[in-house]
Amino acid sequence: MILFFSEQGKTIKNGFLRSQDKAGTKNIYGEEQMALDKWADDVLINGLKKTRLVRYIATEEQPGIIEIENPKNNFGVVIDPLDGSSLIDVNLAVGTIIGIYPGNVLAPGNTMIAAMYILYGPLTTLTLTTGNGVHDFVMDEKGVFTLTQRDIKIPDGKLYAPGALRKDYLPMHAKFIDNLEAEGYKLRFSGSFVADMHQILHKGGVFTYPGFRGKEKGKLRLLFEANPMGKIITDAGGAISNGKINILSVKPKAIDDLTPIYAGGKKEIEMAEKFMAQ
Ligand code: AFP
């Protein structure tokens, strides 16, 4: 992990300073890549290759699963190197999401042994679970992380972070959102899944990027976004659903699978499933 922050003596801040441009290439979802997306991808992949600590690496920026030669362990890692990269040029918080499996990454999320995200905001923070609670760390100027909050549990709260355009909502989802609004939930959506989920984790409520008209599977990625975040929110006493079932029980078919997401407090996820079943 520290590699990501200190590659060639440069911190992540220097990475942000160095490049805020488009890379001129597209990822497997057809989305334009930022130079920083590619930089973060390279740093993480090369760092993992050097350590040989894992066998499989899949990232949001790569077309296939990378298998490392002569690995020391059988672990598989899924990485969204820079989540929320459309916010880089406006200096809003973005993140890195990582999930670790005991073996190949094309497995249900509930087989993950650890998950974490890093949030690059005014502070760089790390939120981590290895199955024994969710813990927050803050990074100092040397790249060293110090524990700031142990065993985080999602509180009751009334925030909602709704992705997609309202005009494209499916009818059941529209009713769910109407219900949240009627119950007094406050809107908080930045366009960075990591930043939005971090807020939900600490203040309570629900994040959703639903399936919508023309894209019934939604926009977010099962392997790189939903599953690691799903493990974190679940280990913090919350839940994650695709509107019908727990996302963590879904067996991925391919690394680029998409999924509708409802993630947050148990109460809100039960409410979402109730509305989506109508
Ligand atoms: P990137 O990782 O490609 O920047 O995508 C960000 C994201 O997957 C997620 O972080 C946001 O919640 C979502 O997209 C925002 O999507 P919209 O731009 O459609 O609001």
Side-chain angles (χ1 to χ4, degrees):
M1 186 70 46
I2 298 300
L3 273 169
F4 185 56
F5 301 99
S6 55
E7 180 235 15
Q8 296 164 352
K10 291 192 166 95
T11 63
I12 188 73
K13 278 274 184 300
N14 290 342
F16 280 108
L17 282 172
R18 203 167 51 199
S19 179
Q20 312 210 330
D21 299 333
K22 295 194 168 78
T25 50
K26 291 193 170 166
N27 64 14
I28 49 173
Y29 308 91
E31 296 165 347
E32 191 144 33
Q33 290 173 310
M34 300 293 288
L36 215 54
D37 279 323
K38 298 192 79 171
W39 179 79
D41 196 47
D42 286 349
V43 171
L44 286 161
I45 292 173
N46 292 338
L48 283 170
K49 276 185 178 165
K50 257 187 229 152
T51 65
R52 295 193 290 111
L53 285 174
V54 305
R55 178 182 291 271
Y56 306 103
I57 308 171
T59 86
E60 197 182 290
E61 307 303 332
Q62 295 293 321
I65 299 173
I66 299 168
E67 190 165 350
I68 289 184
E69 267 177 51
N70 198 16
K72 294 178 190 160
N73 301 290
N74 211 34
F75 298 123
V77 182
V78 288
I79 305 173
D80 182 350
L82 208 58
D83 178 70
S85 47
S86 69
L87 302 177
I88 291 168
D89 56 353
V90 288
N91 193 30
L92 289 181
V94 295
T96 295
I97 310 174
I98 297 174
I100 303 174
Y101 290 82
N104 202 311
V105 298
L106 278 181
N110 57 20
T111 62
M112 235 179 306
I113 51 178
M116 67 191 88
Y117 62 76
I118 300 150
L119 176 62
Y120 312 106
L123 296 172
T124 295
T125 60
L126 167 69
T127 300
L128 165 76
T129 174
T130 55
N132 289 314
V134 176
H135 315 297
D136 265 355
F137 301 80
V138 67
M139 192 182 81
D140 68 17
E141 64 285 352
K142 293 191 188 108
V144 176
F145 285 97
T146 306
L147 182 67
T148 49
Q149 200 175 336
R150 193 186 290 277
D151 207 10
I152 300 159
K153 294 291 175 211
I154 180 170
D156 273 343
K158 288 210 159 180
L159 296 183
Y160 77 118
L165 297 181
R166 188 178 279 264
K167 74 175 178 61
D168 296 332
Y169 284 174
L170 300 175
M172 289 94 77
H173 180 77
K175 284 189 188 154
F176 169 59
I177 296 293
D178 286 348
N179 190 62
L180 289 173
E181 288 169 355
E183 289 194 11
Y185 281 72
K186 259 194 206 169
L187 180 75
R188 289 282 189 279
F189 187 82
S190 73
S192 160
F193 184 44
V194 172
D196 292 335
M197 279 303 298
H198 192 64
Q199 190 167 197
I200 298 293
L201 174 69
H202 282 274
K203 298 189 173 172
V206 59
F207 172 97
T208 170
Y209 208 112
F212 54 92
R213 235 175 262 124
K215 247 189 152 185
E216 278 68 12
K217 290 189 176 154
K219 176 185 176 188
L220 272 61
R221 296 84 179 168
L222 174 64
L223 259 76
F224 307 113
E225 293 172 307
N227 277 339
M229 203 57 89
K231 178 166 176 61
I232 292 168
I233 202 75
T234 302
D235 287 358
I240 188 162
S241 171
N242 59 13
K244 293 193 176 99
I245 56 168
N246 186 342
I247 283 180
L248 296 178
S249 67
V250 174
K251 167 104 172 74
K253 294 190 184 67
I255 62 165
D256 57 354
D257 281 359
L258 301 173
T259 180
I261 291 186
Y262 298 83
K266 274 193 179 140
K267 183 178 72 179
E268 288 80 7
I269 304 315
E270 276 166 24
M271 188 202 294
E273 286 185 347
K274 201 181 96 210
F275 274 93
M276 296 308 286
Q278 282 172 11

